[in-house]
Amino acid sequence: MKTFKYIAMMAATAAFALTSCSDSFLDKLPDERTEIDNEDQVAKLLITSYPSGGYAWICELSSDNIMDNNSPHLPASPNAEQSVTHYNLSPYDRTDDELFRFEPAKSSTNQDTPAFLWETFYSAIQQASMALQSIDEIAASNRAAGELGIDGNGMTETLKASKGEALLIRAYCHFILVNVFSQAYKNESASRNDIGVPYVTEPEDKVLYNYSRGTVTDTYNMIEKDLTEGLQYVSDRNYKLLKWRFNTNAAHAFAARFYLYKRDWAKVIEHADYVLGTDMNAIQGKLMKYDKFDECTYSSDYAKEWQNPENPNNLMLIDTHSLEFRHALGNRFGQNSTVVRDIFYHNCPLWRSWVVNPTAYVSGMTFWTGHDYGYCSGKVAEEFEYTDKIAGIGYVHTIKREFTTNELLLERAEAKIMTGDYDGALADMAAYLESNQSFSETNKVFWGRNSGMAPLTADVLSSYFSKATNPNCFADWNFTTNMSPDYVIPSEAVPYMNCLNDFRRFETAWDGLRFFDLKRWGVEYSHFYGAQNTEIKLTWNDPRRAIEVPQDAIAAGMQPSQPTTTTSDDESKHATTQPRADKYIYFK
């Protein structure tokens, strides 16, 4: 099957060296911090207040998008000889093995581990809170000097924009943390029984500090408070590099995702409309274009197209220190076999003859090492910053496409499905598919001839009903009611949700969002581990759906995410881990 592309990897595997930071923001005592006493310094502080850690690999590994190459499996290509094989490979990092087994990650604090994620996101939160404190102090100083600014409160337009950005950074970081380290949001009542994450709103004045994890409801309420206020102040005025900051469109895209997870459908549509507009005739100008990939050969070429800030699809980019690309290729855990088929290579009413999603081929979604050890997408290919070219050492950078219009369009489609606007949902998903097939003329002719690409119509969508023809289809979506009794997918919505699931799984591959989808929908799935093919099943109410917090935090008294006892299927549907009421020490 000639749909796989060889990867251009750097020759020396030793040239990758960024380990867990030992000099983080939370390590510094108060007298070591730079004094922020004017609005320009605040704006500069916020440039470095975005998290450098990545959650994508952690969440991909915890989802159904990754498999164990050491477990017996078929080849990825359905056209290859269908013989079962398995390997004896080592994981890229020992925590990969622990996370794949849904166990606490104790072995490493390097990049792409829960410990690194926890540290870097709370570091970003601390800097955002420091910026907010400085903004209040500068505004007070302005008032004292008789400089009343806008609205008579001592705030300037620059300070106001900085306040919006800082609030959004703080809300966003807590949003990722709660979705990684806690259970998915169920509803306001049920989520009061699930432990949240510490919501930090004050800059630290001590190296050690007491924090309560609270509940998921508490965390979501605090996120919404910061998000709502941040949206009032957000502005593009402070940005020279718009796509690398919480610009106005990115802020509304974040709001849409937050309300999607909270199931406030009207607000999802409201914030998505702000970015996408409501004119379906004009929407293609805001979506991903795939006609630029023809000249790409190496993974770095594809990455430049995917991560291009000039691409209208990219709303916000984050520079992370992630080794996701290296974890996935040629090691024990990767995207291979039936997993690749489930995401990219399966029968679908939208393409015929071949079973390959043509967009996966055109856009470089299946780079490999030349061996059947797993595949990775050019969209997360890394950039390398040399600190010493002779020694071959430096820092790995992976650009995270955190908010995109294509993913936002699918969020709006889901909200429309849930409000019964099936025509609107169909229009959004048809527009998404049109974007995915915006190939060059050469590729349109080739794939049109060989795959028979079809537009998404009501008749085509009705065939999204059977798992026999598509692995991302369910006969019904009744499992969502486990999450909340009022989270009901009626039978007429099933083909729409099946199509949405198929699209979202492709769109969010390697972004980490698949894990969040499985959690918030209540989908049950399994990992198969080792040569014995041991099944490790994750039920909808399994406490392990919350990734364990770092061992340092637990050792200091933080309540674990995963208790030693689990809820049995015979117990009450909404019986969950009860949060303790006392305080816990959090420290780096």
Side-chain angles (χ1 to χ4, degrees), residues 514-553:
R514 174 66 177 175
F515 180 54
F516 298 160
D517 283 351
L518 294 170
K519 288 175 69 169
R520 67 187 178 89
W521 287 332
V523 177
E524 298 186 345
Y525 60 102
S526 297
H527 282 173
F528 292 89
Y529 180 81
Q532 300 302 315
N533 215 27
T534 303
E535 181 179 13
I536 309 171
K537 186 173 183 179
L538 212 61
T539 58
W540 73 269
N541 60 347
D542 196 310
R544 295 173 299 175
R545 290 173 92 96
I547 291 175
E548 188 57 271
V549 299
Q551 296 302 299
D552 281 355

Side-chain angles (χ1 to χ4, degrees), residues 56-224:
W57 174 249
I58 296 169
C59 293
E60 289 293 292
L61 191 61
S62 302
S63 76
D64 57 358
N65 278 354
I66 298 294
M67 61 158 286
D68 181 3
N69 280 310
N70 291 0
S71 184
H73 61 276
L74 294 170
S77 170
N79 293 337
E81 181 183 348
Q82 297 302 294
S83 58
V84 175
T85 187
H86 68 90
Y87 300 101
N88 187 27
L89 302 172
S90 298
Y92 186 84
D93 189 286
R94 287 179 296 174
T95 55
D96 291 354
D97 189 276
E98 294 162 340
L99 287 168
F100 186 81
R101 288 183 281 125
F102 306 120
E103 296 178 355
K106 300 178 179 180
S107 297
S108 171
T109 59
N110 293 334
Q111 302 103 297
D112 303 301
T113 65
F116 192 77
L117 173 68
W118 179 276
E119 177 185 340
T120 55
F121 271 67
Y122 272 115
S123 176
I125 288 166
Q126 290 292 338
Q127 289 190 234
S129 295
M130 183 178 181
L132 288 166
Q133 183 183 72
S134 298
I135 289 167
D136 289 343
E137 291 171 353
I138 295 167
S141 177
N142 288 345
R143 291 195 300 272
E147 300 172 5
L148 300 183
I150 56 176
D151 301 327
N153 58 7
M155 292 281 284
T156 66
E157 291 291 349
T158 298
L159 283 176
K160 182 179 175 182
S162 291
K163 184 171 185 178
E165 183 180 14
L167 287 165
L168 289 164
I169 292 171
R170 191 166 73 182
Y172 161 76
C173 288
H174 284 106
F175 177 72
I176 298 301
L177 289 165
V178 74
N179 279 287
V180 171
F181 294 106
S182 299
Q183 296 293 325
Y185 184 85
K186 298 182 177 74
N187 59 42
E188 185 170 352
S189 176
S191 290
R192 291 192 184 281
N193 296 320
D194 291 328
I195 50 177
V197 295
Y199 206 96
V200 181
T201 59
E202 300 293 334
E204 287 214 22
D205 54 4
K206 302 176 183 178
V207 175
L208 300 181
Y209 211 88
N210 292 331
Y211 287 115
S212 168
R213 286 191 68 167
T215 69
V216 170
T217 295
D218 295 334
T219 306
Y220 263 71
N221 287 342
M222 293 293 287
I223 292 169
E224 187 168 17

